[in-house]
């Protein structure tokens, strides 16, 4: 959107310091590289990590010499309980969002081997370090203090500091070992790159996230090319899950930043769809009963395929940037309605416990009593605290805590639906801004659908917005929320959009739009001290919105 001539003219008038020509030329490089050029994760290994809500520290010592056979100098000294806690934390959170690891094998084989022999340079030790790193991130998200507060409202980024995120000690141990596994053509190699990318994402290091996401896709291609028989083994379903995880991640980067894909999609027919037929622990069963993570993952795969098809259709109709050189003709409106119908058909085919009312993105989809048990680190919420809504725009009340990342999975799936709906209708916004005299009734209705699609995305609402380290692809959402804020601003400034807003949007739109703007501004404000991309977006917002003392 920032490359649109009308948008650039608005921003040049309001914030002349923004380098828009460079953004148009090197947008992806800027958005991905802002943080990478500014700071790298420290390699200093001497630290203790807070793993308790009471503030007690568990010292993860760095012994000068080996204390366990197979443990290298500078390795980790851990007890069994700590390893169990961190691995459970990982598998009850991140592995439900990205189900690419086998909990049963990890607990039955990997952990006992490390307990008896210590950490070495093997891929299993590297994976263990990554699992522990992300497990600490997940624990910090629940138990640690927010890194900042705004007018009494806690930040959605918890644990560590902007320079030293939680899990860094373990992650650095993984980085020390990754070189030994660099050229393996194995499932473990794919998992190592994928988990390292996820960790960088939790730290808002987007350049490294992209780099390792690409490495995971290439490693997956190498595995399937060199050893396609792996799909027929007992680990075949785990390979399929890793494949589709990589595919979803690189598609996200391709659709948003036009970063070329690796060619992984050419192997879709060979791989097939996962069915979660591999080993399954009792904890996984409980997690799936509560969160339905298997169905969430399968639904993401189908939505990803629809997104690619829509992207191809929009590119063929309007060019690679989806910006019509000429005003869309009636056939474009027909095409958009067909895509919207397909998208709604996808939503209608979701399992009943994943469905929601299209006009109410914050409602519950199923009862929540079964989510809580004696083993949960989350206390049950006060009954009826938010009526029939799982997500709320009230960011000042204490957020409800859901176990098994239920809210993050649901918010992610719903928000991706609204994001795709927004994308397929966005060309009508372009036409209204650049060719207002040629806007037809169909075009105006397309604008209205686009405006409906940008309202109150669940990831921006409570409780999910208070768990930002667990939300996939933060930069992806941040720059889209900036676009939403610009559109909402223009609906009060541009005559054609003002008329559409007044005549087609209904009586509740003003309130919904104001709440949406508040949520989006709060998201970017919350991340601007941690994420250089969010800070860059904040600088743009300062020229558009009256942010008062926030500047």
């Amino acid at each position: 959107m920032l490359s649109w001539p009308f948008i650039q003219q608005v921003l040049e008038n309001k914030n002349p310091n923004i380098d828009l020509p460079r953004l148009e030329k090197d947008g992806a490089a800027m958005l991905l590289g802002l943080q990478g050029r500014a700071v790298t994760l420290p390699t200093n290994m001497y630290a203790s990590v807070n793993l308790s809500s009471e503030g007690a520290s568990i010292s993860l010592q760095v012994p000068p010499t080996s204390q366990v056979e197979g443990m290298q100098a500078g390795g980790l000294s851990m007890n069994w309980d700590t390893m169990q806690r961190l691995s459970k934390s990982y598998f009850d959170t991140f592995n439900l969002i990205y189900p690419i690891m086998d909990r049963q094998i990890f607990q039955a084989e990997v952990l006992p081997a490390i307990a008896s022999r210590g950490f070495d340079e093997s891929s299993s030790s590297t994976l263990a370090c990554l699992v522990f790193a992300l497990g600490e991130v997940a624990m910090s998200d629940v138990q640690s203090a927010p890194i900042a507060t705004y007018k009494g409202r806690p930040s959605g980024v918890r644990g560590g500091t902007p320079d030293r995120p939680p899990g860094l000690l373990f992650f650095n141990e993984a980085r020390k070992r990754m070189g030994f596994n660099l050229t393996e053509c194995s499932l473990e190699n794919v998992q190592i790159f994928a988990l390292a990318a996820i960790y960088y994402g939790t730290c808002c290091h987007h350049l490294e996230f992209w780099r390792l996401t690409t490495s995971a896709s290439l490693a997956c291609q190498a595995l399937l090319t060199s050893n396609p028989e792996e799909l027929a083994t007992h680990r075949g379903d785990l390979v399929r899950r890793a494949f589709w995880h990589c595919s979803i991640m690189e598609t996200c980067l391709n659709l948003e930043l036009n970063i070329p894909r690796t060619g992984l999609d050419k192997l879709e027919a060979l791989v097939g769809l996962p069915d979660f037929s591999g080993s399954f622990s009792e904890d996984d069963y409980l997690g799936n009963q509560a969160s339905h993570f298997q169905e969430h993952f399968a639904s993401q795969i189908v939505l990803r395929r629809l997104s690619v098809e829509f992207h191809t259709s929009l590119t063929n109709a309007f060019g690679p940037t989806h910006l019509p050189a000429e005003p869309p003709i009636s056939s474009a409106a027909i095409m958009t309605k067909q895509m919207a119908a397909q998208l709604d058909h996808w939503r209608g085919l979701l399992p009943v416990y994943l469905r929601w009312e299209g006009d109410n993105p914050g409602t519950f989809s199923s009862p929540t009593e079964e989510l809580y048990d004696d083993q949960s680190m989350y206390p049950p919420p006060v009954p009826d605290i938010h009526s029939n809504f799982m997500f709320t725009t009230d960011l000042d009340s204490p957020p409800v805590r859901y176990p098994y990342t239920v809210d993050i999975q649901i918010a992610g799936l719903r928000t991706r639906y609204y994001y795709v709906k927004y994308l397929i209708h966005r060309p009508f916004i372009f036409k209204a801004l650049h060719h207002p005299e040629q806007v037809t009734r169909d075009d105006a209705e397309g604008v209205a659908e686009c405006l409906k699609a940008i309202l109150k995305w669940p990831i921006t609402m409570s409780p999910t917005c208070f768990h930002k380290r667990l939300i996939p692809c933060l930069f992806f959402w941040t720059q889209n929320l900036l676009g939403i804020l610009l559109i909402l601003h223009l609906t009060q400034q541009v005559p054609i959009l003002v008329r559409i807003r007044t005549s087609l949007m209904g009586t509740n739109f003003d309130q919904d739009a104001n709440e949406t703007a508040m949520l989006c501004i709060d998201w970017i404000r919350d991340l601007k001290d941690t994420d250089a991309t969010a800070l860059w977006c904040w600088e743009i917002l300062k020229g558009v919105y009256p942010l008062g003392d926030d500047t």
Side-chain angles (χ1 to χ4, degrees):
M1 262 187 59
L2 296 181
S3 65
W4 293 4
F6 190 96
I7 297 292
Q8 292 203 351
Q9 183 179 0
V10 170
L11 295 182
E12 284 172 355
N13 292 335
K14 293 182 175 292
N15 199 331
N17 296 324
I18 299 296
D19 189 356
L20 293 173
R22 184 186 169 204
L23 176 67
E24 186 172 2
K25 180 182 177 183
D26 304 312
M30 284 186 64
L31 290 170
L32 286 173
L34 282 170
Q35 183 76 33
R37 294 190 188 100
V39 65
T40 59
L41 290 179
T43 57
N44 176 18
M45 302 300 296
Y46 295 89
S48 63
V49 187
N50 185 353
L51 299 176
S52 169
S53 58
E54 286 78 23
S57 283
I58 294 178
S59 179
L60 301 174
Q61 300 157 359
V62 186
T65 58
S66 175
Q67 294 182 347
V68 182
E69 183 181 355
M71 183 95 68
Q72 297 298 305
L76 298 173
S77 177
M78 301 174 63
N79 61 41
W80 178 255
D81 289 341
T82 300
M83 290 194 292
Q84 288 280 3
R85 289 171 61 203
L86 290 172
S87 59
K88 178 174 173 56
S89 175
Y90 164 80
F91 281 102
D92 283 350
T93 54
F94 282 103
N95 206 57
L96 303 182
I97 302 171
Y98 320 93
I100 60 175
M101 292 286 290
D102 188 310
R103 186 199 297 249
Q104 186 164 313
I105 291 176
F106 189 85
Q107 292 181 331
E109 299 178 13
V110 176
L111 287 186
I114 292 174
S116 62
R117 298 192 299 271
F119 293 89
D120 55 24
E121 294 82 18
S122 66
S123 57
S124 60
S125 283
T126 308
L127 278 172
C129 290
L130 291 168
V131 165
F132 297 153
L134 289 169
E136 190 187 329
V137 171
M139 290 183 68
S140 297
D141 185 73
V142 175
Q143 299 175 354
S144 295
I147 64 171
T149 57
Y150 170 74
K151 295 184 177 179
R153 181 185 301 164
S155 169
V157 182
R158 290 179 171 268
T161 66
D163 296 330
R164 299 191 69 91
L168 180 61
L169 179 63
F170 297 111
F171 186 66
N172 280 340
E173 286 294 329
R175 288 200 287 180
K176 287 164 60 177
R177 292 165 169 81
M178 284 175 66
F180 293 103
N181 322 124
L182 201 59
T183 57
E184 290 183 6
C185 293
S186 65
L187 172 60
E188 289 78 10
N189 190 237
V190 180
Q191 293 168 326
I192 286 170
F193 285 128
L195 293 186
I198 292 168
Y199 182 83
Y200 271 122
T202 70
C203 309
C204 299
H205 282 252
H206 310 309
L207 187 67
E208 293 91 339
F209 165 79
W210 160 66
R211 178 69 178 83
L212 284 165
T213 296
T214 302
S215 295
S217 291
L218 293 172
C220 194
Q221 287 186 66
L223 168 62
L224 293 169
T225 302
S226 65
N227 188 17
E229 296 81 10
E230 185 83 345
L231 290 168
T233 69
H234 66 284
R235 304 203 306 173
D237 192 67
L238 203 56
V239 174
R240 292 184 182 89
R241 283 185 257 160
F243 170 88
W244 285 108
H245 164 76
C246 292
S247 183
I248 290 171
M249 290 293 104
E250 73 166 44
T251 298
C252 166
L253 290 163
N254 173 253
L255 296 188
E256 189 61 27
L257 298 176
N258 205 30
I259 293 175
R261 285 181 282 177
T262 64
L264 191 65
D265 54 308
K266 295 180 176 61
L267 298 174
E268 289 182 16
L270 169 68
V271 175
L273 296 173
D275 58 10
F276 290 86
S277 59
S279 60
F280 212 56
S281 70
E282 181 180 354
D283 287 330
D284 283 329
Y285 173 78
L286 294 174
N288 191 53
Q289 287 293 103
S291 70
H292 307 290
F293 75 89
Q294 296 178 12
E295 289 87 349
H296 272 286
F297 190 62
S299 300
Q300 294 271 21
I301 292 172
V302 179
L303 185 57
R304 176 246 165 218
R305 284 182 165 177
L306 278 179
S307 301
V308 171
E309 291 175 8
F310 296 162
H311 177 74
T312 301
S313 298
L314 290 168
T315 299
N316 292 337
F318 303 132
T321 57
H322 304 167
L323 309 182
E326 298 294 336
I329 56 175
S330 58
S331 61
I334 295 173
M335 178 188 70
T336 301
K337 289 180 179 179
Q338 291 172 341
M339 291 189 291
Q342 286 181 266
L343 187 60
D344 285 334
H345 184 64
W346 168 86
R347 184 168 61 87
L349 291 178
L350 289 172
V352 63
Y353 36 77
L354 299 188
R355 291 182 208 160
W356 75 97
E357 298 176 22
D359 294 333
N360 292 296
T363 56
F364 280 109
S365 51
S366 64
T368 59
E369 291 81 0
E370 61 193 31
L371 297 180
Y372 301 89
D373 56 45
D374 294 338
Q375 304 302 316
S376 174
M377 58 183 174
Y378 301 84
V382 178
D384 299 323
I385 190 171
H386 290 309
S387 184
N388 295 321
F389 290 88
M390 184 174 194
F391 305 100
T392 174
T393 60
D394 179 6
L395 303 186
D396 293 315
S397 297
V400 176
R401 290 181 174 179
Y402 296 99
Y404 303 112
T405 62
V406 169
D407 64 301
I408 295 170
Q409 293 180 68
I410 291 175
L413 189 67
R414 294 184 186 182
T415 304
R416 285 190 179 275
Y417 163 84
Y418 290 110
Y419 163 74
V420 176
K421 192 171 185 179
Y422 158 61
L423 277 193
I424 63 180
H425 290 96
R426 195 167 59 179
F428 294 106
I429 298 284
F430 180 91
K431 181 177 180 180
L433 293 176
H434 297 87
H435 308 282
E437 72 285 350
Q438 301 181 36
V439 170
T440 66
R441 177 70 183 185
D442 284 341
D443 297 331
E445 290 176 353
V447 169
E449 288 300 317
C450 186
L451 295 180
K452 292 176 186 176
I454 63 178
L455 295 176
K456 296 195 289 191
W457 285 4
I459 60 160
T460 66
M461 299 167 71
S462 177
T464 306
C465 68
F466 289 105
H467 304 288
K468 288 189 174 72
R469 288 200 192 274
L470 303 187
I471 297 175
C473 303
L474 279 176
F475 78 93
F476 175 92
W477 299 119
T478 299
Q479 68 163 10
N480 273 287
L481 297 181
L482 172 62
I484 287 174
L485 286 167
L486 293 176
I487 289 175
L488 290 176
H489 170 74
L490 294 176
T491 62
Q492 296 179 305
Q493 305 293 323
V494 180
I496 183 68
L497 295 183
V498 172
R499 289 199 298 272
I500 292 172
R501 174 172 176 155
T502 303
S503 60
L504 297 181
M505 297 311 301
T507 56
N508 295 327
F509 182 79
D510 284 349
Q511 178 180 346
D512 290 340
N514 290 337
E515 289 178 343
T516 299
M518 178 272 294
L519 292 169
C520 295
I521 290 172
D522 186 83
W523 174 286
I524 296 174
R525 177 199 297 115
D526 190 26
L527 285 172
K528 67 182 174 67
D529 295 328
T530 306
D531 180 359
T533 301
L535 179 60
W536 184 83
C537 293
W538 186 255
E539 292 300 316
I540 293 178
L541 281 184
K542 288 198 301 187
V544 179
Y545 279 82
L547 300 176
D549 59 358
D550 295 341
T551 58

